[in-house]
Amino acid sequence: MDVTVIIPSLDPDEKLMGVVTGLQKMGFTDILLVNDGSDEAHRSPFETAAALPGVTVLHHEVNRGKGRALKTAFHYVLEHRPSSCGVVTVDGDGQHAAEDVLKLAQALCADGEKIYLGSREFSGPDVPRRSFLGNKITSLVFRLLCGMTIRDTQTGLRAISRKHLPAMLEVEGERFEYETTMLLELRRQHLPFEELPIRTVYIGENETSHFRAVRDSIRVYRPILRHFIRFAGSGLLSFLVDMALFWLLSQVAVPGLPDTQRILLATVLARVGSSLLNFFLNRTVVFASSRSVWDTLWRYYSLCVVQMLTSGLLVAFIYWLLPLPETLIKCVVDGCLMFISFRIQQRFVFGKK
């Protein structure tokens, strides 16, 4: 196999050499370590590894993040490994079995098209609770907001074909969020991927991880939630504009109109104005659609009509079943429909053809 194994590492302990020698015993002859700004006390593993045949060590003078370390390695492979069929990224803390690295490498070299993700099970007794909850929550968010079913969103064991490395270099992110954004890029560019089952290995309580619970969680979830937050903000701004237009138009409507006609006219004109604002915000700011205006416009208003009718029918039906306030029912129904509308607009209205 002509494949490069990439191991980004920060302040490693003795487990790093165990990973390197384990990979060499498995037959890997091209191992690329990236020292991501480790301090003096933790540089000896890199020096020991560099003396081994088939091991190359790259250095960052300061810590630049796991994402940047992977990009540095991808650049190096593209420039210095012209015959390599691709790379397999491995964590240096011993949580990826060498047999599983071999499994992904063999699949990569046999196929050459797909990106392979090592997928762990999180049901074992040795899995730290924070890792179990973190993966389950992130997988749920991926499914609801991105339409992607990925069992292990946190895996660092990934096999990437050489042809896809330039695209991976364009992915945003420098730290832990890079691996999450990479998964989103697979959907955006319609890149084929497959999850392969691997062993679940956690050493201790994963105490050697450099993942900072609050700061890095915000970094990881930011690219996933970015479009939905913009979508919700667009909806809120459109609602405020709708209210303002209704008040203004109801005050300056044609004199002499009966109250019913005046209110109806103000409602319709306000809704037209606010919906057009919402359409253009979603098209340009939220989803950055490449479809033509007219192509997205008829899709958007078709969805609006269906969503309005669905809301009304569901509210009426639930109110008939349960003796609850109509306003409360409408808030719950419209909240659920908002998630559905987001996914439909993301894929059908503003998505790629």
Side-chain angles (χ1 to χ4, degrees):
M1 294 182 303
D2 195 354
V3 63
T4 304
V5 178
I6 295 174
I7 309 175
S9 184
L10 169 66
D11 294 338
D13 55 19
E14 69 282 353
K15 292 192 290 293
L16 178 62
M17 281 305 302
V19 172
V20 172
T21 56
L23 291 171
Q24 289 187 320
K25 290 178 181 177
M26 196 56 59
F28 290 100
T29 58
D30 186 16
I31 299 173
L32 185 59
L33 293 181
V34 182
N35 170 19
D36 188 28
S38 300
D39 58 34
E40 291 292 339
H42 295 89
R43 292 194 176 184
S44 60
F46 297 106
E47 296 170 355
T48 304
L52 297 176
V55 178
T56 303
V57 181
L58 306 179
H59 296 276
H60 288 169
E61 292 302 319
V62 296
N63 175 245
R64 301 177 64 186
K66 186 178 183 181
R68 175 46 57 183
L70 290 172
K71 291 178 182 179
T72 295
F74 294 165
H75 269 296
Y76 185 89
V77 170
L78 288 173
E79 292 181 5
H80 300 279
R81 299 291 188 271
S83 63
S84 176
C85 68
V87 304
V88 180
T89 65
V90 180
D91 291 341
D93 54 6
Q95 295 189 20
H96 296 144
E99 295 85 354
D100 291 325
V101 180
L102 179 62
K103 178 194 293 187
L104 266 70
Q106 289 174 333
L108 173 68
C109 292
D111 177 81
E113 293 294 329
K114 292 181 181 177
I115 292 175
Y116 291 92
L117 309 174
S119 178
R120 299 162 294 179
E121 291 289 340
F122 286 84
S123 56
D126 297 331
V127 178
R129 187 166 182 79
R130 69 171 184 173
S131 297
F132 171 81
L133 291 176
N135 186 74
K136 291 300 182 183
I137 293 172
T138 308
S139 295
L140 178 62
V141 172
F142 259 92
R143 189 160 56 249
L144 291 178
L145 298 186
C146 307
M148 300 179 70
T149 301
I150 301 178
R151 294 188 301 274
D152 186 357
T153 59
Q154 302 171 342
T155 182
L157 181 56
R158 306 178 180 193
I160 306 170
S161 171
R162 180 185 183 86
K163 65 182 293 185
H164 297 314
L165 290 181
M168 297 301 102
L169 288 173
E170 298 300 321
V171 175
E172 295 181 0
E174 300 291 294
R175 298 188 177 274
F176 285 108
E177 77 279 5
Y178 173 75
E179 291 180 311
T180 300
T181 313
M182 182 191 296
L183 298 179
L184 297 176
E185 193 69 11
L186 301 184
R187 179 188 60 80
R188 193 182 73 84
Q189 294 198 28
H190 302 284
L191 299 178
F193 71 92
E194 180 180 344
E195 290 187 276
L196 298 180
I198 62 172
R199 290 172 53 193
T200 304
V201 181
Y202 277 101
I203 301 173
E205 286 294 315
N206 202 23
E207 66 274 1
T208 59
S209 172
H210 296 284
F211 188 88
R212 296 163 294 186
V214 177
R215 184 182 302 180
D216 289 325
S217 292
I218 293 174
R219 289 180 180 273
V220 166
Y221 279 99
R222 185 184 298 153
I224 306 175
L225 299 175
R226 177 174 54 198
H227 291 306
F228 185 75
I229 291 174
R230 290 176 179 175
F231 179 78
S234 170
L236 177 59
L237 178 60
S238 301
F239 168 76
L240 296 176
V241 169
D242 186 78
M243 293 294 101
L245 285 175
F246 173 79
W247 177 84
L248 180 63
L249 292 169
S250 64
Q251 301 301 313
V252 300
V254 179
L257 279 179
D259 288 342
T260 301
Q261 296 181 21
R262 177 177 57 84
I263 293 174
L264 180 61
L265 179 62
T267 300
V268 171
L269 293 177
R271 184 57 51 89
V272 169
S274 62
S275 65
L276 283 173
L277 172 65
N278 183 253
F279 165 75
F280 282 106
L281 285 176
N282 288 356
R283 184 178 183 275
T284 57
V285 178
V286 179
F287 300 110
S289 177
S290 59
R291 289 178 179 267
S292 69
V293 173
W294 295 113
D295 188 24
T296 52
L297 190 65
W298 76 263
R299 294 168 182 265
Y300 174 84
Y301 278 103
S302 297
L303 174 62
C304 287
V305 172
V306 173
Q307 185 174 348
M308 178 182 63
L309 294 175
T310 303
S311 174
L313 292 172
L314 282 176
V315 171
F317 178 70
I318 296 174
Y319 182 72
W320 175 72
L321 287 178
L322 302 172
L324 296 174
E326 296 175 16
T327 304
L328 175 61
I329 296 174
K330 182 170 176 57
C331 287
V332 174
V333 168
D334 285 356
C336 295
L337 289 178
M338 180 179 67
F339 283 96
I340 298 173
S341 175
F342 172 78
R343 290 290 298 124
I344 294 175
Q345 290 190 46
Q346 185 184 55
R347 291 184 65 92
F348 174 71
V349 178
F350 301 108
K352 286 186 177 181
K353 294 184 179 180

